[in-house]
Amino acid sequence: MSAGRGRAAHKQWPILGPDERAATLRVLDRGVLSGASAPETILFEREFAAFVDAEFALLTSSGTSALQLALAAAGIGAGDHVITPAYSFVATPLAILQCGAIPIFVDVDAGTGLMNFEATKAAMTSRTRAIMPVHIHGCAIDIERFATLGVPVIEDAAQAHGATLRGKKVGAIGKVGGFSLQSSKNLGVGEGGVLVTNDRSIVEAANRLRSFGQNVILDDFFDPARPLDGTRALASSRIGSMLRGNELTAAIARAQLAKLEERTEASQRRALALSMELARLPGVLPPQIPKGSTSVFHKFRVGFDPTTSGVTVPPKKFRDVMIAALRKEGLEVVQWQSEALPAHPVFRERQGFGGGFPWNTDPDTDFASIYDLARFPNTTHLLDSSIVLFSQSCPLIAQDDDIVAFYAETFARVWERRFELLEG
Ligand SMILES: Cc1ncc(COP(=O)(O)O)c(C=O)c1O
């Protein structure tokens, strides 16, 4: 059975069909490829804002740049501390550094992988200017609870298009948030991102920073006959950059967005079915979703509990044996991340932009100590004792019922043989 069900049986993501082709041709026929106020960009921004129930959306060059703009527009700058989880993609703390601010890592909840509230509260100091939680794996974190800590909350919603917290779509529950449109994401377009907010002053600031820090106005004039000759001001008044998206991205994103709700619902149904099957196996921990939250299951992380599984070897060893065995059966399995973020050389060496900036703005904090991996036991445990089913090229959202049933059945078969696999 497995021979016919290997990589070739999976659907590759993103799925690109006649709608995406028509969108691309529409742009080529129009001949307008760029511009903050070009038509596809403006329409995508409106449609995405409506999708996440936000007042404003800005298309950006990537999810990382959306987060960087979100932070900068919220006034985060040199030497400010921003609290963020030790488990995420490295883009989260890099966006903080790009503003000249300093990421302060906190541990996550071992079960969900979501940033821990109590650890965040304990990490707050007089230098804390913002908190940037992550809706990791596409699961909504309780932004409203973090907002009670009294500093702006900036949402890393890169993986979480359409996830909800007590019925509200994530992204703009906090002050401002950023999504990614990178190919593997549930709204996978290539490279791109979206900033969302309900705050007009934030979107106006982000819009300026997105275009060289020039005094552009949000609703700039667009003349299809002269698309590059708008009315925008030319003087730069802030350190902005060129972080805009482009018309091809916007047009393909609109085509994908039209299908996102239906695809998300199907993927959530499949994720729950798979979770139910995996939950029957002793010691297997399917993704945990906190009460009041939904997940769009951008990543499907499965944990192993040594007590109930009966496995006594070190968790990392067992994890690697399971990855190899499942791959051999034709499943897509990845680690996605292998270590807590403070272990990356950029945070261990702290050379920064040169001369140790921005860490050198804060001589009072012992960063070697607060970045010590011993402070993030849940992150380390999570990464050592779990695996991610499906992959970037073949994520869950692309797969049909048959493939997902194959995962449940194959996983159960491999799990049954776990002690034998460890001997081999
Ligand atoms: C949690 C998280 N934050 C930020 C990003 C950055 O997004 P991008 O790759 O579009 O810059 C990603 C995705 O890569 C992500 O998974």
Side-chain angles (χ1 to χ4, degrees):
M1 166 140 210
S2 61
R5 300 283 197 143
R7 174 162 276 201
H10 290 78
K11 278 222 177 80
Q12 290 262 338
W13 188 252
I15 295 167
L16 301 169
D19 298 339
E20 289 71 23
R21 221 165 259 129
T24 305
L25 289 176
R26 192 169 69 230
V27 172
L28 298 185
D29 289 344
R30 189 184 293 120
V32 177
L33 297 181
S34 66
S37 61
E40 302 290 339
T41 297
I42 292 290
L43 288 173
F44 170 69
E45 290 176 347
R46 283 186 196 150
E47 289 161 8
F48 192 82
F51 176 75
V52 296
D53 303 327
E55 214 163 317
F56 304 103
L58 285 184
L59 179 66
T60 61
S61 54
S62 68
T64 311
S65 61
L67 294 173
Q68 184 188 331
L69 287 171
L71 287 153
I76 304 306
D80 291 343
H81 285 195
V82 178
I83 304 180
T84 199
Y87 172 52
S88 180
F89 182 58
V90 71
T92 314
L94 287 181
I96 296 169
L97 284 174
Q98 287 294 342
C99 295
I102 302 173
I104 302 296
F105 296 105
V106 295
D107 208 1
V108 297
D109 293 333
T112 59
L114 294 166
M115 181 162 157
N116 180 278
F117 179 78
E118 295 304 331
T120 305
K121 201 169 161 185
M124 299 276 297
T125 68
S126 58
R127 292 187 77 120
T128 307
R129 294 285 176 275
I131 302 173
M132 187 148 78
V134 180
H135 301 291
I136 200 75
H137 306 154
C139 178
I141 185 168
D142 194 343
I143 295 296
E144 287 167 345
R145 190 164 181 224
F146 284 90
T148 62
L149 294 175
V151 293
V153 178
I154 291 150
E155 297 179 48
D156 182 339
Q159 303 185 350
H161 319 72
T164 58
L165 173 71
R166 293 184 278 278
K168 283 188 218 164
K169 294 258 180 66
V170 303
I173 297 174
K175 196 165 189 65
V176 50
F179 290 85
S180 168
L181 302 178
Q182 176 263 345
S183 297
S184 75
K185 300 300 185 304
N186 288 16
L187 188 62
V189 183
E191 306 292 0
V194 201
L195 173 147
V196 297
T197 183
N198 291 313
D199 185 328
R200 193 168 182 99
S201 66
I202 291 278
V203 75
E204 286 177 344
N207 188 40
R208 289 191 292 268
L209 294 167
R210 181 179 71 154
S211 285
F212 314 101
Q214 291 173 332
N215 284 328
V216 287
I217 48 169
L218 197 56
D219 308 308
D220 199 7
F221 164 78
F222 170 74
D223 176 356
R226 298 183 61 83
L228 301 181
D229 300 312
T231 52
R232 90 173 195 236
L234 297 175
S236 276
S237 46
R238 292 284 180 277
I239 303 176
S241 190
M242 210 317 269
L243 301 173
R244 297 192 300 259
N246 69 75
E247 284 290 273
L248 284 164
T249 303
I252 298 172
R254 291 182 66 206
Q256 297 274 43
L257 183 59
K259 292 172 246 187
L260 185 57
E261 200 144 298
E262 197 181 324
R263 282 176 171 166
T264 301
E265 279 170 21
S267 186
Q268 286 171 322
R269 185 173 48 71
R270 291 178 184 127
L272 293 179
L274 181 56
S275 291
M276 275 172 67
E277 292 300 322
L278 295 179
R280 292 177 207 276
L281 308 173
V284 175
L285 306 168
Q288 286 179 32
I289 313 302
K291 204 163 171 280
S293 292
T294 64
S295 176
V296 296
F297 297 99
H298 170 64
K299 305 230 176 271
F300 194 94
R301 190 175 276 284
V302 179
F304 307 127
D305 174 16
T307 317
T308 41
S309 67
V311 171
T312 50
V313 300
K316 256 181 166 168
K317 177 171 180 197
F318 182 56
R319 176 198 70 193
D320 294 344
V321 165
M322 282 299 291
I323 291 177
L326 292 167
R327 282 186 181 156
K328 208 165 156 197
E329 294 288 331
L331 266 57
E332 294 281 300
V333 189
V334 297
Q335 266 182 265
W336 186 56
Q337 299 298 309
S338 57
E339 49 191 359
L341 289 169
H344 289 224
V346 63
F347 303 112
R348 270 198 282 110
E349 293 163 13
R350 295 187 292 286
Q351 290 169 6
F353 289 93
F357 180 83
W359 291 280
N360 63 1
T361 58
D362 177 10
D364 301 331
T365 303
D366 177 0
F367 288 103
S369 155
I370 70 159
Y371 285 2
D372 183 346
L373 288 190
R375 299 173 79 105
F376 315 104
N378 292 346
T379 300
T380 304
H381 172 77
L382 180 80
L383 294 172
D384 288 355
S385 64
S386 68
I387 59 174
V388 173
L389 294 183
F390 307 97
S391 59
Q392 302 240 83
S393 302
C394 307
L396 172 64
I397 195 166
Q399 311 311 320
D400 59 19
D401 287 346
D402 271 6
I403 281 282
V404 175
F406 168 67
Y407 270 63
E409 170 202 315
T410 307
F411 196 104
R413 207 157 21 80
V414 169
W415 191 250
E416 185 89 357
R417 289 172 43 223
R418 62 193 180 281
F419 301 112
E420 178 194 322
L421 290 168
L422 280 167
E423 279 160 24

